[in-house]
Amino acid sequence: MSGSRNLDAAIARTILIGVTCLLFNMAATAQPVTRHAARRMSRGHSGDATLQARLDQVVRSFVDEGAFMGSVLVSEGDKRLLDKGYGSADLEWNRPNDPNVRFHIGSLTKQFTAALILQLQDEGKLRVDNPVSRYLPDAPKNWDKITLADLMGHRSGIPNFIGDPAFHAWSMSAHTAEEELALFRDTPLEFAPGTRFSYSNSNFTVLGIILEKITGKSYGELLRERILAPLGMNDSGLDSDDLVLPRRAQGYVPANGGFARLRPESMTVAWAVGGMYSTTADLLRWEHGLFGGKVISASALKAMITPGLGGYGLGVFVHSEQGLTFVDHGGSIEGFNAHLTYIPERKIGIVVLGNVDAFVPDTIAAQLANVMLGKPVTLPLKRQSAAIAKQELARFVGVYEVPAIGPGFTLTVSMAGDSLSAQLTGREPTTLEYQGVKNGHPRFYAPREFAEFEFIPNASGSITSFVLHVGGENIRGMRR
């Protein structure tokens, strides 16, 4: 379960989301796209057609690399400038993606959970600055200083339950909310509440439980009654393991030059954290409803999109560029990756829903935003692998701690035939392609994630660490 824009101020956040919500994402080496036409924003029929072609070109560059299948919607105000599907929703039945296909959206769910909490505050049924213990009397003693706002802003100090190496296997079967809570309720806090930002899915498990306790209704009922039905989001909902859902996309992972089916975790585990499905059009309805005053009060919306620690508001990342506000989040769940960006001053909405387990929707969304704003973008280029002896590859094999992602997260590098593979805790392995040595440091490229690993040797030549170059950021891992 994931999400954000990717690491940076504009991209950083996502690897902590895209990576807790899971790893990797990058725009790779570049081929410039001219911005001449992009500047002709919505000024007449020919300008729109040129802009649409440029937006489509950005998406197709990732489709052609085998890194993306899904649906994409780009709008400004009521005008939809790009609204189409790419690749297959279901390869077995040869069913193409289109704007009506429903996708798992992972951690995009979190902003809906946050909005439900803010609705209850608007109604006087809770206050986000109250401690968790007021609503969960049996909460652990070390949670006494954690507020609901701390949970919504990922500053509670509660460890991320998906960081447990056993989580992936555990998540494949159904569990109750109480069983999920038991995974982390008795673990020590990572830091004093309110003092740091650390993306943790555990926070939204607690919020989901609080919602159900206060209202006496299930999370799915609350979602439907309070948000989806009023906004006309008829193609969205909380998924379940036994739900027969027409027009549902299946999730895949790149494999052997094509795609392999990837089974998602139980939706009972994802629920208020990342269990929703939706379409591009419904998510645009959500943005228009949220910013149009149809979901929460103006004061609640202001609190939601005011950036706090880590550039995170309440359920969303928020940052500013050139006087514009970007409100965004990513989502990741087995076989699916998603990204949602809204720029309220321009009423620009960008929705990227993918059914390939490769972390590129964040990059696609960022590049589409650049096109809309008349900025230059880069397209991924194919890289040529360099030759390396098999015995040389053994230098890189090992387990690396990745504290920037979160406690317990490791990257395991192992041999895979005549090449290397890398596997983040709880994730599918990805192939690494040798790129040669730059500034004395061997480099490998992960084409599925558009990410580059720079391995760093010590004075004796042994590999002791790496730097993951992704989305404009550099994430370090240390060898155990």
Side-chain angles (χ1 to χ4, degrees), residues 290-344:
L290 180 65
F291 286 90
K294 297 179 181 179
V295 179
I296 54 179
S297 67
S299 60
L301 178 62
K302 181 179 179 180
M304 186 178 187
I305 64 171
T306 297
L309 296 174
Y312 205 82
L314 302 178
V316 290
F317 283 100
V318 187
H319 76 282
S320 297
E321 293 181 24
Q322 298 179 335
L324 297 175
T325 304
F326 288 68
V327 181
D328 62 4
H329 211 286
S332 177
I333 192 166
E334 284 83 353
F336 296 86
N337 284 276
H339 194 92
L340 179 59
T341 295
Y342 195 70
I343 305 173

Coordinates of all heavy atoms in Angstrom, one line a residue, residues 290-344:
L290 N -14.0 17.7 -3.5 CA -13.2 18.1 -2.4 C -12.9 19.5 -2.4 O -13.1 20.3 -1.4 CB -11.9 17.2 -2.3 CG -10.9 17.5 -1.1 CD1 -11.6 17.2 0.2 CD2 -9.6 16.8 -1.3
F291 N -12.4 20.0 -3.5 CA -12.0 21.4 -3.6 C -13.2 22.3 -4.0 O -13.1 23.6 -3.9 CB -10.9 21.6 -4.7 CG -9.6 21.1 -4.2 CD1 -9.2 19.8 -4.3 CD2 -8.7 21.9 -3.5 CE1 -8.0 19.3 -3.8 CE2 -7.5 21.5 -3.0 CZ -7.1 20.2 -3.2
G292 N -14.4 21.7 -4.2 CA -15.6 22.5 -4.5 C -16.5 22.6 -3.3 O -17.6 23.1 -3.4
G293 N -16.0 22.2 -2.1 CA -16.7 22.4 -0.9 C -17.8 21.4 -0.7 O -18.7 21.6 0.2
K294 N -17.8 20.3 -1.4 CA -18.9 19.3 -1.3 C -18.6 18.1 -0.3 O -19.4 17.3 -0.1 CB -19.2 18.7 -2.7 CG -19.7 19.7 -3.7 CD -20.0 19.1 -5.0 CE -20.4 20.1 -6.0 NZ -20.7 19.5 -7.4
V295 N -17.4 18.1 0.3 CA -17.0 17.0 1.1 C -16.8 17.4 2.5 O -17.3 16.8 3.5 CB -15.7 16.3 0.5 CG1 -15.3 15.1 1.4 CG2 -16.0 15.8 -0.9
I296 N -15.9 18.4 2.7 CA -15.6 18.9 4.1 C -15.7 20.5 4.1 O -15.7 21.1 3.0 CB -14.2 18.5 4.5 CG1 -13.1 18.8 3.5 CG2 -14.2 17.0 4.8 CD1 -11.7 18.4 3.9
S297 N -15.7 21.1 5.2 CA -15.7 22.5 5.3 C -14.5 23.2 4.8 O -13.4 22.5 4.7 CB -15.9 22.9 6.8 OG -14.8 22.6 7.6
A298 N -14.5 24.5 4.5 CA -13.4 25.2 4.1 C -12.2 25.1 5.1 O -11.1 25.0 4.7 CB -13.8 26.6 3.8
S299 N -12.5 25.2 6.3 CA -11.5 25.2 7.4 C -10.8 23.8 7.4 O -9.6 23.7 7.6 CB -12.0 25.6 8.7 OG -13.1 24.7 9.1
A300 N -11.7 22.8 7.3 CA -11.1 21.4 7.3 C -10.2 21.2 6.1 O -9.2 20.5 6.2 CB -12.2 20.4 7.3
L301 N -10.7 21.7 4.9 CA -9.8 21.5 3.7 C -8.5 22.3 3.8 O -7.4 21.8 3.5 CB -10.6 22.1 2.5 CG -9.8 22.0 1.1 CD1 -9.5 20.6 0.8 CD2 -10.6 22.7 0.0
K302 N -8.6 23.5 4.4 CA -7.3 24.2 4.7 C -6.4 23.4 5.5 O -5.2 23.3 5.3 CB -7.6 25.6 5.3 CG -6.4 26.4 5.6 CD -6.8 27.8 6.2 CE -5.5 28.6 6.4 NZ -5.8 29.9 7.0
A303 N -6.9 22.8 6.6 CA -6.0 22.0 7.5 C -5.5 20.7 6.7 O -4.3 20.4 6.9 CB -6.8 21.5 8.7
M304 N -6.3 20.2 5.9 CA -5.9 19.0 5.1 C -4.8 19.3 4.2 O -3.9 18.4 4.0 CB -7.1 18.5 4.3 CG -6.9 17.1 3.6 SD -8.4 16.6 2.7 CE -7.9 15.0 2.2
I305 N -4.8 20.4 3.5 CA -3.8 20.7 2.5 C -2.7 21.7 3.0 O -2.0 22.3 2.2 CB -4.4 21.2 1.2 CG1 -5.1 22.6 1.4 CG2 -5.3 20.2 0.6 CD1 -5.6 23.2 0.1
T306 N -2.6 21.9 4.3 CA -1.5 22.7 4.9 C -0.3 21.7 5.2 O -0.5 20.8 6.0 CB -1.9 23.4 6.2 OG1 -3.0 24.3 5.9 CG2 -0.7 24.1 6.8
P307 N 0.8 21.9 4.5 CA 1.9 20.9 4.7 C 2.5 21.0 6.1 O 2.7 22.1 6.6 CB 2.9 21.3 3.6 CG 2.6 22.8 3.3 CD 1.1 22.9 3.5
G308 N 2.7 19.8 6.7 CA 3.4 19.8 8.0 C 4.7 19.1 7.8 O 5.4 19.3 6.8
L309 N 5.1 18.3 8.8 CA 6.4 17.6 8.7 C 6.5 16.7 7.5 O 5.5 16.1 7.1 CB 6.6 16.8 10.0 CG 6.7 17.6 11.3 CD1 6.8 16.6 12.5 CD2 7.9 18.5 11.3
G310 N 7.6 16.7 6.8 CA 7.8 15.9 5.6 C 7.0 16.4 4.4 O 6.8 15.6 3.4
G311 N 6.4 17.6 4.5 CA 5.6 18.1 3.4 C 4.3 17.4 3.3 O 3.6 17.4 2.2
Y312 N 3.8 16.8 4.4 CA 2.6 16.0 4.4 C 1.5 16.8 5.1 O 1.8 17.4 6.2 CB 2.8 14.7 5.1 CG 1.8 13.6 4.7 CD1 2.0 12.8 3.5 CD2 0.7 13.3 5.4 CE1 1.2 11.8 3.1 CE2 -0.2 12.3 5.1 CZ 0.0 11.6 3.9 OH -0.8 10.6 3.5
G313 N 0.3 16.9 4.5 CA -0.8 17.5 5.2 C -1.5 16.5 6.0 O -1.0 15.8 6.9
L314 N -2.8 16.3 5.7 CA -3.6 15.2 6.4 C -4.1 14.3 5.3 O -5.1 14.6 4.7 CB -4.8 15.9 7.2 CG -4.4 16.9 8.2 CD1 -5.6 17.5 8.9 CD2 -3.5 16.3 9.3
G315 N -3.4 13.2 5.1 CA -3.8 12.3 4.1 C -3.3 12.6 2.7 O -3.5 11.8 1.7
V316 N -2.5 13.7 2.5 CA -2.0 14.1 1.2 C -0.6 14.7 1.4 O -0.4 15.3 2.4 CB -2.9 15.0 0.4 CG1 -4.2 14.3 0.0 CG2 -3.3 16.2 1.3
F317 N 0.2 14.6 0.3 CA 1.4 15.4 0.3 C 1.0 16.8 -0.3 O 0.1 16.9 -1.2 CB 2.4 14.8 -0.6 CG 3.1 13.6 0.0 CD1 2.8 12.3 -0.2 CD2 4.2 13.9 0.9 CE1 3.4 11.3 0.4 CE2 4.8 12.8 1.6 CZ 4.5 11.5 1.3
V318 N 1.7 17.8 0.1 CA 1.5 19.2 -0.4 C 2.8 19.9 -0.6 O 3.7 19.9 0.3 CB 0.6 20.0 0.6 CG1 0.2 21.3 -0.1 CG2 -0.6 19.2 1.0
H319 N 3.0 20.5 -1.7 CA 4.1 21.4 -1.9 C 3.8 22.5 -2.9 O 2.7 22.4 -3.6 CB 5.3 20.6 -2.4 CG 5.3 20.2 -3.9 ND1 4.5 19.1 -4.3 CD2 5.9 20.7 -4.9 CE1 4.6 19.0 -5.6 NE2 5.5 20.0 -6.0
S320 N 4.6 23.5 -3.0 CA 4.4 24.6 -3.9 C 5.5 24.7 -4.9 O 6.7 24.5 -4.6 CB 4.3 25.9 -3.1 OG 3.2 25.9 -2.2
E321 N 5.2 25.1 -6.1 CA 6.1 25.4 -7.1 C 5.6 26.6 -7.9 O 4.5 26.7 -8.4 CB 6.2 24.3 -8.1 CG 6.9 23.0 -7.5 CD 7.0 21.9 -8.6 OE1 7.0 22.2 -9.8 OE2 7.0 20.7 -8.2
Q322 N 6.4 27.7 -8.0 CA 6.1 28.9 -8.8 C 4.8 29.4 -8.5 O 4.0 29.8 -9.3 CB 6.2 28.5 -10.3 CG 7.6 28.1 -10.7 CD 7.7 27.7 -12.2 OE1 6.7 27.4 -12.8 NE2 8.9 27.9 -12.7
G323 N 4.5 29.4 -7.2 CA 3.2 30.0 -6.7 C 2.0 29.1 -6.9 O 0.9 29.5 -6.6
L324 N 2.2 27.9 -7.3 CA 1.1 26.9 -7.5 C 1.2 25.8 -6.4 O 2.3 25.4 -6.0 CB 1.1 26.3 -8.8 CG 1.0 27.2 -10.0 CD1 1.1 26.4 -11.3 CD2 -0.4 27.8 -10.0
T325 N 0.1 25.4 -5.9 CA 0.0 24.3 -4.9 C -0.2 23.0 -5.6 O -1.1 22.8 -6.4 CB -1.2 24.6 -3.9 OG1 -1.0 25.9 -3.3 CG2 -1.2 23.5 -2.8
F326 N 0.6 22.0 -5.2 CA 0.4 20.6 -5.7 C 0.0 19.8 -4.6 O 0.7 19.7 -3.5 CB 1.8 20.1 -6.2 CG 2.2 20.7 -7.6 CD1 2.6 22.0 -7.6 CD2 2.2 19.9 -8.7 CE1 3.0 22.6 -8.8 CE2 2.7 20.5 -9.9 CZ 3.1 21.8 -10.0
V327 N -1.2 19.2 -4.7 CA -1.7 18.3 -3.7 C -1.7 16.9 -4.3 O -2.4 16.7 -5.4 CB -3.2 18.7 -3.3 CG1 -3.7 17.7 -2.2 CG2 -3.2 20.1 -2.8
D328 N -1.0 16.0 -3.8 CA -0.8 14.7 -4.5 C -0.6 13.6 -3.5 O -0.3 13.7 -2.3 CB 0.2 14.8 -5.6 CG 1.6 15.1 -5.0 OD1 1.8 15.2 -3.8 OD2 2.5 15.3 -5.9
H329 N -0.6 12.4 -4.1 CA -0.4 11.1 -3.4 C -0.2 10.0 -4.4 O -0.7 10.1 -5.5 CB -1.5 10.8 -2.4 CG -1.1 10.1 -1.1 ND1 -0.7 8.8 -1.1 CD2 -0.9 10.6 0.1 CE1 -0.3 8.5 0.1 NE2 -0.5 9.5 0.9
G330 N 0.5 9.0 -4.0 CA 0.7 7.8 -4.8 C 0.0 6.6 -4.1 O -0.3 6.7 -2.9
G331 N -0.2 5.6 -4.8 CA -0.8 4.4 -4.3 C -0.1 3.2 -4.9 O 0.2 3.1 -6.1
S332 N 0.2 2.2 -4.1 CA 0.8 0.9 -4.6 C 0.3 -0.3 -3.8 O 0.3 -0.3 -2.6 CB 2.3 1.0 -4.4 OG 3.0 -0.1 -4.8
I333 N -0.2 -1.2 -4.5 CA -0.6 -2.5 -4.0 C -0.3 -3.5 -5.0 O -0.3 -3.2 -6.2 CB -2.1 -2.4 -3.5 CG1 -2.5 -3.6 -2.7 CG2 -3.0 -2.3 -4.7 CD1 -3.8 -3.5 -2.0
E334 N 0.0 -4.8 -4.6 CA 0.5 -5.8 -5.6 C -0.2 -5.7 -6.9 O -1.4 -5.9 -7.0 CB 0.3 -7.2 -5.0 CG 1.4 -7.5 -3.9 CD 1.0 -7.0 -2.6 OE1 0.0 -6.2 -2.4 OE2 1.7 -7.3 -1.6
G335 N 0.6 -5.5 -8.0 CA 0.0 -5.5 -9.3 C -0.5 -4.1 -9.8 O -0.8 -4.0 -11.0
F336 N -0.5 -3.1 -8.9 CA -1.1 -1.9 -9.2 C -0.3 -0.7 -8.7 O 0.2 -0.8 -7.5 CB -2.6 -1.7 -8.7 CG -3.5 -2.7 -9.2 CD1 -3.6 -4.0 -8.7 CD2 -4.3 -2.4 -10.3 CE1 -4.5 -4.9 -9.2 CE2 -5.2 -3.3 -10.9 CZ -5.3 -4.6 -10.3
N337 N -0.2 0.4 -9.4 CA 0.4 1.6 -8.9 C -0.4 2.8 -9.5 O -0.9 2.7 -10.6 CB 1.8 1.7 -9.4 CG 2.7 0.9 -8.5 OD1 3.2 1.2 -7.5 ND2 3.0 -0.4 -9.0
A338 N -0.6 3.8 -8.7 CA -1.5 4.9 -9.0 C -0.9 6.2 -8.5 O 0.0 6.2 -7.6 CB -2.8 4.7 -8.4
H339 N -1.3 7.3 -9.2 CA -0.9 8.6 -8.7 C -2.0 9.6 -9.0 O -2.6 9.6 -10.1 CB 0.4 9.1 -9.3 CG 1.0 10.3 -8.6 ND1 1.9 10.2 -7.6 CD2 0.7 11.6 -8.7 CE1 2.2 11.3 -7.1 NE2 1.5 12.2 -7.8
L340 N -2.2 10.5 -8.0 CA -3.3 11.6 -8.2 C -2.7 12.9 -7.8 O -2.2 13.1 -6.7 CB -4.5 11.2 -7.3 CG -5.7 12.2 -7.2 CD1 -6.3 12.3 -8.6 CD2 -6.7 11.7 -6.2
T341 N -2.8 13.9 -8.7 CA -2.2 15.2 -8.5 C -3.4 16.2 -8.8 O -4.1 16.1 -9.8 CB -1.0 15.5 -9.4 OG1 0.0 14.7 -9.0 CG2 -0.6 17.0 -9.2
Y342 N -3.5 17.2 -8.0 CA -4.4 18.3 -8.2 C -3.7 19.6 -7.9 O -3.0 19.8 -6.9 CB -5.7 18.2 -7.4 CG -6.8 19.1 -7.9 CD1 -7.5 18.8 -9.1 CD2 -7.2 20.2 -7.2 CE1 -8.5 19.6 -9.6 CE2 -8.2 21.0 -7.6 CZ -8.9 20.7 -8.8 OH -9.9 21.5 -9.3
I343 N -3.9 20.6 -8.9 CA -3.3 21.9 -8.7 C -4.5 22.9 -8.7 O -5.0 23.3 -9.7 CB -2.4 22.3 -9.9 CG1 -1.3 21.2 -10.1 CG2 -1.7 23.6 -9.7 CD1 -0.4 21.3 -11.3
P344 N -4.9 23.2 -7.4 CA -6.2 24.0 -7.3 C -6.2 25.3 -8.0 O -7.3 25.7 -8.5 CB -6.4 24.1 -5.8 CG -5.0 23.8 -5.2 CD -4.3 22.9 -6.1

